[in-house]
Amino acid sequence: MFEFRGGMSVRQTSVALVVVCGILFSAIAAVAVRTASDDNPVVIVGSTAPSTSTPLTEPAVVPQPEPPAEPQPGGGAPEPPPAAGLKAPNGRPYGPAIQFTSNIAVPDRLVYVLVLGSDARPNEDLMAARADSIHLLAINPSSGAGTIVGFPRDSYVEFPGGGRGKINDALTRGGPKLVAETVRRLTGLPVHYYVLTGFVGLSRMVDELGGVDVRVDRRMKDRLSGTRFDPGWHRFDGAEALAFTRDRTSVANGDFSRSENHGTLLLATLGKLRAEVADDAGLFHWMGILGRNCRLDVPADELPRLAALARRLAPEKINNLVVPGRIGYAGRASVVFLGQEAPRLFADLRDDALVNGSASATTTSPPPPPESTTTTTSAPPPPPPPPPVPSTTSTTSLLG
C-alpha cells in the first residue's frame, strides 16, 4: 500500500507530482481514490521538517584522506560474454510526446524530493533496513527540466548531531527524515519531500502500468540480481525492472553504474507517460490504475495538479548523473569519498535545478520535437540561466 506522512503545502504537492510521473522505481503515484490502510505499506511518502526544506550556505562534504583513496575503476568491468538463455530485446523507444491539452494549473517553484529504495525484503519494515538507493530529484517546473542526482550508497558522510558513516546507514539510524537532513547537510540543498519504497513497491507498480520499455546498453548476466538481458530495448515487467536496478556486478562501474540505471528507469517511465497521456482524462486514467495499490492522505483536489506538472516534464531535459567519488577505507570499512567536484555540482543545482545552467540530453528516446501544449493558465517564463561554469559531472547518455 501507499502511505502519506505529514501535511502537504501547495509547494510540497508539486514535489509529489514530480515523483508521480517519472519516478516509477520509487512507485510514487497520484491517485483519485483512497484505499484501506495497511500496516506494512510498500511506499511511504512524507514531508520534511521546516529546517530540512531550507537550503544551507555551506555543504559538509567529508574530505578525502591523504594519500588519495583508491580511484573508482576507470576502464570499468568487462561486459559479460554472450550466453544462452539471455532475454532478447522485445521493446522499443517511446515516440515523441503526444499533444497534451490541460485545464489544470501547475506549480512554478523549484522542488527537491529525496527518493529512497529500502533494502528491506518482502514483509519487512521499510525503515528497519539500510537505504539501497538514494536519489535527489531537482525539478524546475517553469522550464520542464531538472536533474536526477544519484548518491553512491557507501558515500562517507557526516550525520546530523555528530558522527560519520555510510549514507545508507542513516535510514536505520533515524528513518527517511534523517536521510533527508543528512542529504541537506551534504549538499546544502533543501529537501522538501521524501519517498521511500522497497522491492515490492517497485515490482507491483511496474506491473500495474503494463511494463516499461528501457534501453539496456550492454549484456547483463548476474545470478544475485537475476539479470539475463542482451543489449537493446526491453519491455520490463516488475520482476525484470527490479533485477535491472539491483545488478552491480555485470555493469561497468559497480554501484556507480547501478545508481545510474535507477535514473534510466525513472526517465523511461516519464517517456511512457508522455507517449500515452493526451489530456486530463488520461491523467485520471493513470491515477486510477496506480490508485489500486495506494493510500494518500492528501486532499483529492490537489492531486490533478501534481499529475499535470508531471506530464509536462520532458525526459530529454532531465540530466541523469551520479555524484563522482573514489573508493577508499574508513577504518576497516570500504566507503566512497565524494570528490572535489561534488560541492561545485551541488552549488550549480541551487539556482535552477540544472547542471551548468542547462540539462544535457539523457533520454530514453531520440529527442522529440517540441510538443504542443494548451492550457487555460500561463506559466511564468523560465529564469535566465546562470553563467556557465566548468563541468564537474559524469553524465552518461542513455542512447550511447
Side-chain angles (χ1 to χ4, degrees), residues 131-221:
D132 193 55
S133 64
I134 304 166
H135 290 74
L136 183 64
L137 309 175
I139 301 297
N140 187 329
S142 65
S143 63
T147 307
I148 301 173
V149 182
F151 297 87
R153 64 179 182 176
D154 291 336
S155 300
Y156 194 58
V157 300
E158 291 186 354
F159 295 117
R164 294 179 175 180
K166 296 181 181 181
I167 193 171
N168 63 351
D169 287 333
L171 186 61
T172 56
R173 284 171 173 245
K177 288 190 176 182
L178 181 62
V179 186
E181 183 57 35
T182 301
V183 169
R184 172 179 175 261
R185 182 178 178 85
L186 171 66
T187 64
L189 298 170
V191 179
H192 301 120
Y193 221 65
Y194 65 79
V195 181
L196 174 65
T197 189
F199 298 154
V200 174
L202 169 62
S203 298
R204 183 179 298 175
M205 301 307 284
V206 172
D207 285 337
E208 287 283 342
L209 289 175
V212 61
D213 289 276
V214 179
R215 183 181 182 275
V216 176
D217 62 1
R218 58 185 257 159
R219 277 185 296 275
M220 300 179 73
K221 182 186 178 195

Side-chain angles (χ1 to χ4, degrees), residues 238-390:
E240 292 167 335
L242 179 60
F244 176 74
T245 61
R246 294 185 63 198
D247 188 350
R248 58 192 179 108
T249 61
S250 65
V251 293
N253 290 313
D255 197 51
F256 290 86
S257 295
R258 188 180 73 104
S259 182
E260 184 180 10
N261 282 345
H262 294 165
T264 299
L265 182 60
L266 306 188
L267 292 174
T269 309
L270 179 57
K272 178 182 177 74
L273 177 71
R274 287 167 59 83
E276 295 182 357
V277 173
D279 52 27
D280 295 339
L283 290 179
F284 281 102
H285 173 70
W286 266 57
M287 290 191 286
I289 292 175
L290 299 176
R292 288 198 290 267
N293 294 301
C294 301
R295 191 192 86 191
L296 292 179
D297 296 327
V298 58
D301 61 352
E302 294 182 359
L303 298 176
R305 267 181 281 174
L306 306 181
L309 176 57
R311 174 55 181 81
R312 285 171 168 82
L313 298 178
E316 69 275 7
K317 298 172 75 174
I318 297 180
N319 252 345
N320 175 29
L321 59 88
V322 179
V323 181
R326 302 171 70 88
I327 301 170
Y329 289 90
R332 295 184 177 181
S334 175
V335 300
V336 172
F337 293 99
L338 300 184
Q340 296 179 352
E341 306 95 333
R344 295 195 293 269
L345 186 157
F346 302 146
D348 200 13
L349 292 169
R350 182 183 293 259
D351 293 336
D352 57 6
L354 306 178
V355 174
N356 296 323
S358 64
S360 58
T362 56
T363 178
T364 57
S365 60
E371 64 168 321
S372 175
T373 302
T374 60
T375 179
T376 58
T377 59
S378 58
V389 299

Side-chain angles (χ1 to χ4, degrees), residues 2 19 23-29 42-43 195 197-198 201-202 205 290 294:
F2 188 97
V19 184
I23 304 162
L24 180 48
F25 95 75
S26 70
I28 291 278
V42 297
V43 179
V195 181
T197 189
L202 169 62
M205 301 307 284
L290 299 176
C294 301

